[in-house]
mmCIF file with all atom_site columns, all heavy atoms in Angstrom:
data_model
loop_
_atom_site.group_PDB
_atom_site.id
_atom_site.type_symbol
_atom_site.label_atom_id
_atom_site.label_alt_id
_atom_site.label_comp_id
_atom_site.label_asym_id
_atom_site.label_entity_id
_atom_site.label_seq_id
_atom_site.pdbx_PDB_ins_code
_atom_site.Cartn_x
_atom_site.Cartn_y
_atom_site.Cartn_z
_atom_site.occupancy
_atom_site.B_iso_or_equiv
_atom_site.pdbx_formal_charge
_atom_site.auth_seq_id
_atom_site.auth_comp_id
_atom_site.auth_asym_id
_atom_site.auth_atom_id
_atom_site.pdbx_PDB_model_num
ATOM 1   N N   . ILE I 1 135 ? -107.495 181.620 -83.031 1.00 97.00 ? 135 ILE I N   1
ATOM 2   C CA  . ILE I 1 135 ? -106.953 181.463 -81.683 1.00 97.00 ? 135 ILE I CA  1
ATOM 3   C C   . ILE I 1 135 ? -107.502 182.586 -80.800 1.00 97.00 ? 135 ILE I C   1
ATOM 4   O O   . ILE I 1 135 ? -107.109 183.752 -80.942 1.00 97.00 ? 135 ILE I O   1
ATOM 5   C CB  . ILE I 1 135 ? -105.396 181.427 -81.683 1.00 97.00 ? 135 ILE I CB  1
ATOM 6   C CG1 . ILE I 1 135 ? -104.861 181.346 -80.241 1.00 97.00 ? 135 ILE I CG1 1
ATOM 7   C CG2 . ILE I 1 135 ? -104.781 182.590 -82.453 1.00 97.00 ? 135 ILE I CG2 1
ATOM 8   C CD1 . ILE I 1 135 ? -103.387 180.961 -80.136 1.00 97.00 ? 135 ILE I CD1 1
ATOM 9   N N   . PRO I 1 136 ? -108.448 182.247 -79.929 1.00 96.00 ? 136 PRO I N   1
ATOM 10  C CA  . PRO I 1 136 ? -108.950 183.275 -79.004 1.00 96.00 ? 136 PRO I CA  1
ATOM 11  C C   . PRO I 1 136 ? -107.794 183.853 -78.197 1.00 96.00 ? 136 PRO I C   1
ATOM 12  O O   . PRO I 1 136 ? -106.888 183.121 -77.764 1.00 96.00 ? 136 PRO I O   1
ATOM 13  C CB  . PRO I 1 136 ? -109.916 182.491 -78.105 1.00 96.00 ? 136 PRO I CB  1
ATOM 14  C CG  . PRO I 1 136 ? -110.353 181.328 -78.942 1.00 96.00 ? 136 PRO I CG  1
ATOM 15  C CD  . PRO I 1 136 ? -109.135 180.959 -79.744 1.00 96.00 ? 136 PRO I CD  1
ATOM 16  N N   . GLY I 1 137 ? -107.834 185.160 -78.003 1.00 96.00 ? 137 GLY I N   1
ATOM 17  C CA  . GLY I 1 137 ? -106.745 185.835 -77.285 1.00 96.00 ? 137 GLY I CA  1
ATOM 18  C C   . GLY I 1 137 ? -105.590 186.226 -78.180 1.00 96.00 ? 137 GLY I C   1
ATOM 19  O O   . GLY I 1 137 ? -104.600 186.790 -77.707 1.00 96.00 ? 137 GLY I O   1
ATOM 20  N N   . GLY I 1 138 ? -105.699 185.954 -79.470 1.00 97.00 ? 138 GLY I N   1
ATOM 21  C CA  . GLY I 1 138 ? -104.565 186.116 -80.375 1.00 97.00 ? 138 GLY I CA  1
ATOM 22  C C   . GLY I 1 138 ? -104.133 187.554 -80.622 1.00 97.00 ? 138 GLY I C   1
ATOM 23  O O   . GLY I 1 138 ? -102.977 187.779 -81.001 1.00 97.00 ? 138 GLY I O   1
ATOM 24  N N   . THR I 1 139 ? -105.013 188.527 -80.426 1.00 96.00 ? 139 THR I N   1
ATOM 25  C CA  . THR I 1 139 ? -104.545 189.906 -80.631 1.00 96.00 ? 139 THR I CA  1
ATOM 26  C C   . THR I 1 139 ? -103.636 190.346 -79.489 1.00 96.00 ? 139 THR I C   1
ATOM 27  O O   . THR I 1 139 ? -102.736 191.165 -79.689 1.00 96.00 ? 139 THR I O   1
ATOM 28  C CB  . THR I 1 139 ? -105.713 190.905 -80.803 1.00 96.00 ? 139 THR I CB  1
ATOM 29  O OG1 . THR I 1 139 ? -106.584 190.813 -79.683 1.00 96.00 ? 139 THR I OG1 1
ATOM 30  C CG2 . THR I 1 139 ? -106.487 190.627 -82.084 1.00 96.00 ? 139 THR I CG2 1
ATOM 31  N N   . THR I 1 140 ? -103.854 189.784 -78.298 1.00 97.00 ? 140 THR I N   1
ATOM 32  C CA  . THR I 1 140 ? -102.973 190.136 -77.175 1.00 97.00 ? 140 THR I CA  1
ATOM 33  C C   . THR I 1 140 ? -101.581 189.541 -77.372 1.00 97.00 ? 140 THR I C   1
ATOM 34  O O   . THR I 1 140 ? -100.560 190.229 -77.152 1.00 97.00 ? 140 THR I O   1
ATOM 35  C CB  . THR I 1 140 ? -103.593 189.660 -75.849 1.00 97.00 ? 140 THR I CB  1
ATOM 36  O OG1 . THR I 1 140 ? -104.892 190.255 -75.713 1.00 97.00 ? 140 THR I OG1 1
ATOM 37  C CG2 . THR I 1 140 ? -102.727 190.059 -74.661 1.00 97.00 ? 140 THR I CG2 1
ATOM 38  N N   . THR I 1 141 ? -101.514 188.301 -77.814 1.00 98.00 ? 141 THR I N   1
ATOM 39  C CA  . THR I 1 141 ? -100.201 187.702 -78.087 1.00 98.00 ? 141 THR I CA  1
ATOM 40  C C   . THR I 1 141 ? -99.575  188.335 -79.332 1.00 98.00 ? 141 THR I C   1
ATOM 41  O O   . THR I 1 141 ? -98.353  188.363 -79.452 1.00 98.00 ? 141 THR I O   1
ATOM 42  C CB  . THR I 1 141 ? -100.330 186.179 -78.241 1.00 98.00 ? 141 THR I CB  1
ATOM 43  O OG1 . THR I 1 141 ? -101.476 185.894 -79.057 1.00 98.00 ? 141 THR I OG1 1
ATOM 44  C CG2 . THR I 1 141 ? -100.505 185.503 -76.888 1.00 98.00 ? 141 THR I CG2 1
ATOM 45  N N   . ALA I 1 142 ? -100.413 188.862 -80.233 1.00 98.00 ? 142 ALA I N   1
ATOM 46  C CA  . ALA I 1 142 ? -99.856  189.629 -81.371 1.00 98.00 ? 142 ALA I CA  1
ATOM 47  C C   . ALA I 1 142 ? -99.146  190.871 -80.848 1.00 98.00 ? 142 ALA I C   1
ATOM 48  O O   . ALA I 1 142 ? -98.007  191.170 -81.250 1.00 98.00 ? 142 ALA I O   1
ATOM 49  C CB  . ALA I 1 142 ? -100.974 190.021 -82.342 1.00 98.00 ? 142 ALA I CB  1
ATOM 50  N N   . LEU I 1 143 ? -99.802  191.578 -79.932 1.00 98.00 ? 143 LEU I N   1
ATOM 51  C CA  . LEU I 1 143 ? -99.155  192.738 -79.319 1.00 98.00 ? 143 LEU I CA  1
ATOM 52  C C   . LEU I 1 143 ? -97.882  192.309 -78.589 1.00 98.00 ? 143 LEU I C   1
ATOM 53  O O   . LEU I 1 143 ? -96.860  193.012 -78.625 1.00 98.00 ? 143 LEU I O   1
ATOM 54  C CB  . LEU I 1 143 ? -100.124 193.417 -78.340 1.00 98.00 ? 143 LEU I CB  1
ATOM 55  C CG  . LEU I 1 143 ? -99.623  194.700 -77.693 1.00 98.00 ? 143 LEU I CG  1
ATOM 56  C CD1 . LEU I 1 143 ? -99.425  195.809 -78.730 1.00 98.00 ? 143 LEU I CD1 1
ATOM 57  C CD2 . LEU I 1 143 ? -100.577 195.179 -76.588 1.00 98.00 ? 143 LEU I CD2 1
ATOM 58  N N   . GLY I 1 144 ? -97.944  191.133 -77.977 1.00 98.00 ? 144 GLY I N   1
ATOM 59  C CA  . GLY I 1 144 ? -96.777  190.619 -77.264 1.00 98.00 ? 144 GLY I CA  1
ATOM 60  C C   . GLY I 1 144 ? -95.559  190.464 -78.166 1.00 98.00 ? 144 GLY I C   1
ATOM 61  O O   . GLY I 1 144 ? -94.468  190.973 -77.855 1.00 98.00 ? 144 GLY I O   1
ATOM 62  N N   . VAL I 1 145 ? -95.713  189.794 -79.290 1.00 98.00 ? 145 VAL I N   1
ATOM 63  C CA  . VAL I 1 145 ? -94.541  189.600 -80.164 1.00 98.00 ? 145 VAL I CA  1
ATOM 64  C C   . VAL I 1 145 ? -94.137  190.910 -80.841 1.00 98.00 ? 145 VAL I C   1
ATOM 65  O O   . VAL I 1 145 ? -92.942  191.154 -81.037 1.00 98.00 ? 145 VAL I O   1
ATOM 66  C CB  . VAL I 1 145 ? -94.709  188.468 -81.212 1.00 98.00 ? 145 VAL I CB  1
ATOM 67  C CG1 . VAL I 1 145 ? -94.859  187.112 -80.538 1.00 98.00 ? 145 VAL I CG1 1
ATOM 68  C CG2 . VAL I 1 145 ? -95.846  188.743 -82.166 1.00 98.00 ? 145 VAL I CG2 1
ATOM 69  N N   . LEU I 1 146 ? -95.127  191.738 -81.181 1.00 98.00 ? 146 LEU I N   1
ATOM 70  C CA  . LEU I 1 146 ? -94.773  193.024 -81.804 1.00 98.00 ? 146 LEU I CA  1
ATOM 71  C C   . LEU I 1 146 ? -93.902  193.847 -80.855 1.00 98.00 ? 146 LEU I C   1
ATOM 72  O O   . LEU I 1 146 ? -92.892  194.430 -81.267 1.00 98.00 ? 146 LEU I O   1
ATOM 73  C CB  . LEU I 1 146 ? -96.048  193.788 -82.185 1.00 98.00 ? 146 LEU I CB  1
ATOM 74  C CG  . LEU I 1 146 ? -96.791  193.223 -83.417 1.00 98.00 ? 146 LEU I CG  1
ATOM 75  C CD1 . LEU I 1 146 ? -98.230  193.735 -83.471 1.00 98.00 ? 146 LEU I CD1 1
ATOM 76  C CD2 . LEU I 1 146 ? -96.045  193.554 -84.710 1.00 98.00 ? 146 LEU I CD2 1
ATOM 77  N N   . GLN I 1 147 ? -94.251  193.869 -79.583 1.00 98.00 ? 147 GLN I N   1
ATOM 78  C CA  . GLN I 1 147 ? -93.447  194.610 -78.610 1.00 98.00 ? 147 GLN I CA  1
ATOM 79  C C   . GLN I 1 147 ? -92.082  193.945 -78.416 1.00 98.00 ? 147 GLN I C   1
ATOM 80  O O   . GLN I 1 147 ? -91.065  194.630 -78.330 1.00 98.00 ? 147 GLN I O   1
ATOM 81  C CB  . GLN I 1 147 ? -94.197  194.679 -77.284 1.00 98.00 ? 147 GLN I CB  1
ATOM 82  C CG  . GLN I 1 147 ? -95.474  195.512 -77.382 1.00 98.00 ? 147 GLN I CG  1
ATOM 83  C CD  . GLN I 1 147 ? -95.427  196.753 -76.530 1.00 98.00 ? 147 GLN I CD  1
ATOM 84  O OE1 . GLN I 1 147 ? -94.861  196.743 -75.438 1.00 98.00 ? 147 GLN I OE1 1
ATOM 85  N NE2 . GLN I 1 147 ? -95.998  197.837 -77.010 1.00 98.00 ? 147 GLN I NE2 1
ATOM 86  N N   . ALA I 1 148 ? -92.077  192.624 -78.357 1.00 98.00 ? 148 ALA I N   1
ATOM 87  C CA  . ALA I 1 148 ? -90.804  191.920 -78.179 1.00 98.00 ? 148 ALA I CA  1
ATOM 88  C C   . ALA I 1 148 ? -89.862  192.184 -79.360 1.00 98.00 ? 148 ALA I C   1
ATOM 89  O O   . ALA I 1 148 ? -88.644  192.272 -79.195 1.00 98.00 ? 148 ALA I O   1
ATOM 90  C CB  . ALA I 1 148 ? -91.052  190.415 -78.017 1.00 98.00 ? 148 ALA I CB  1
ATOM 91  N N   . LEU I 1 149 ? -90.458  192.311 -80.562 1.00 98.00 ? 149 LEU I N   1
ATOM 92  C CA  . LEU I 1 149 ? -89.653  192.593 -81.758 1.00 98.00 ? 149 LEU I CA  1
ATOM 93  C C   . LEU I 1 149 ? -89.278  194.070 -81.861 1.00 98.00 ? 149 LEU I C   1
ATOM 94  O O   . LEU I 1 149 ? -88.437  194.440 -82.692 1.00 98.00 ? 149 LEU I O   1
ATOM 95  C CB  . LEU I 1 149 ? -90.423  192.188 -83.022 1.00 98.00 ? 149 LEU I CB  1
ATOM 96  C CG  . LEU I 1 149 ? -90.760  190.705 -83.210 1.00 98.00 ? 149 LEU I CG  1
ATOM 97  C CD1 . LEU I 1 149 ? -91.728  190.523 -84.382 1.00 98.00 ? 149 LEU I CD1 1
ATOM 98  C CD2 . LEU I 1 149 ? -89.502  189.863 -83.416 1.00 98.00 ? 149 LEU I CD2 1
ATOM 99  N N   . GLY I 1 150 ? -89.923  194.913 -81.056 1.00 98.00 ? 150 GLY I N   1
ATOM 100 C CA  . GLY I 1 150 ? -89.678  196.348 -81.145 1.00 98.00 ? 150 GLY I CA  1
ATOM 101 C C   . GLY I 1 150 ? -90.473  197.034 -82.243 1.00 98.00 ? 150 GLY I C   1
ATOM 102 O O   . GLY I 1 150 ? -90.084  198.117 -82.706 1.00 98.00 ? 150 GLY I O   1
#
Side-chain angles (χ1 to χ4, degrees):
Chain I
I135 177 166
T139 56
T140 303
T141 44
L143 184 65
V145 296
L146 286 162
Q147 294 245 324
L149 296 170

